[in-house]
Amino acid sequence: MRAALTLGVDYLLGGTHLDDVLPLLKGSGIRYYPFPGRIAGHPSVLEGSMTEIVASAKDLAAREGVHGLDLLAYRADVDVADLIRAVRDAVAKPVIVAGSIDRPERIHAVVSGRAAGFTVGTAALEGRFPAAIPGLTHQLLTITSIKDQAKELTEQ
């Protein structure tokens, strides 16, 4: 968190320690998107029922200094598409989906669920997407292409 302040990032995604983070971010201009729900382990897992996760999302979104949510939808033991829609519909702030987005079908589901965005980390670094040429640049270009195709399908 302190690194985000030092670096002057625009967004801080994830985390569960709101009472520690929010006072430090106040006045910084950094937009904070914490994880809703009960988070356990590493890599992080989202625990609880859909009802519990949505209730947590509503509580977090109501807090001053929370600008959106970082939802670990693919790391929950619930229907992912339903969870994305339920959280998105329950809060008036943007919902970004993170964690285990490692194949085109998951990007399509996130886009069709109308999440505000999504993150991809390890999957791109490990070359999991069907890029014609190896390397991170081509992984990112492929991910962007998959996202654009999914958006086009969703808008039809």
Side-chain angles (χ1 to χ4, degrees), residues 68-140:
L69 301 172
D70 191 5
L71 181 64
L72 293 170
Y74 280 102
R75 300 214 182 133
D77 193 19
V78 298
D79 182 275
V80 171
D82 287 346
L83 178 61
I84 293 168
R85 280 189 285 278
V87 170
R88 189 207 63 223
D89 291 346
V91 302
K93 294 181 178 177
V95 177
I96 293 174
V97 178
S100 300
I101 299 174
D102 58 3
R103 52 188 156 256
E105 306 81 57
R106 290 185 172 187
I107 293 174
H108 280 268
V110 169
V111 171
S112 70
R114 300 199 187 277
F118 62 95
T119 65
V120 176
T122 304
L125 295 171
E126 292 177 350
R128 295 211 187 144
F129 291 92
I133 300 170
L136 183 58
T137 298
H138 293 283
Q139 282 291 298
L140 297 176

Side-chain angles (χ1 to χ4, degrees), residues 1 15 17-18 24 39-40 43 50-52 70 81-82 89 100 113 115 117-118 122 124 136 142-143 150 156:
M1 206 314 289
H17 300 284
L18 263 69
L24 295 172
I39 308 300
M50 177 109 46
T51 302
E52 292 169 325
D70 191 5
D82 287 346
D89 291 346
S100 300
F118 62 95
T122 304
L136 183 58
T142 299
I143 291 164
Q156 292 180 353

Side-chain angles (χ1 to χ4, degrees), residues 26-84:
K26 191 169 186 158
S28 71
I30 295 174
R31 301 179 63 79
Y32 184 43
Y33 287 58
F35 292 136
R38 274 190 333 270
I39 308 300
H42 185 75
S44 301
V45 174
L46 176 55
E47 297 179 336
S49 68
M50 177 109 46
T51 302
E52 292 169 325
I53 296 166
V54 170
S56 170
K58 289 164 87 172
D59 289 344
L60 290 175
R63 299 277 304 264
E64 185 179 336
V66 171
H67 297 91
L69 301 172
D70 191 5
L71 181 64
L72 293 170
Y74 280 102
R75 300 214 182 133
D77 193 19
V78 298
D79 182 275
V80 171
D82 287 346
L83 178 61
I84 293 168

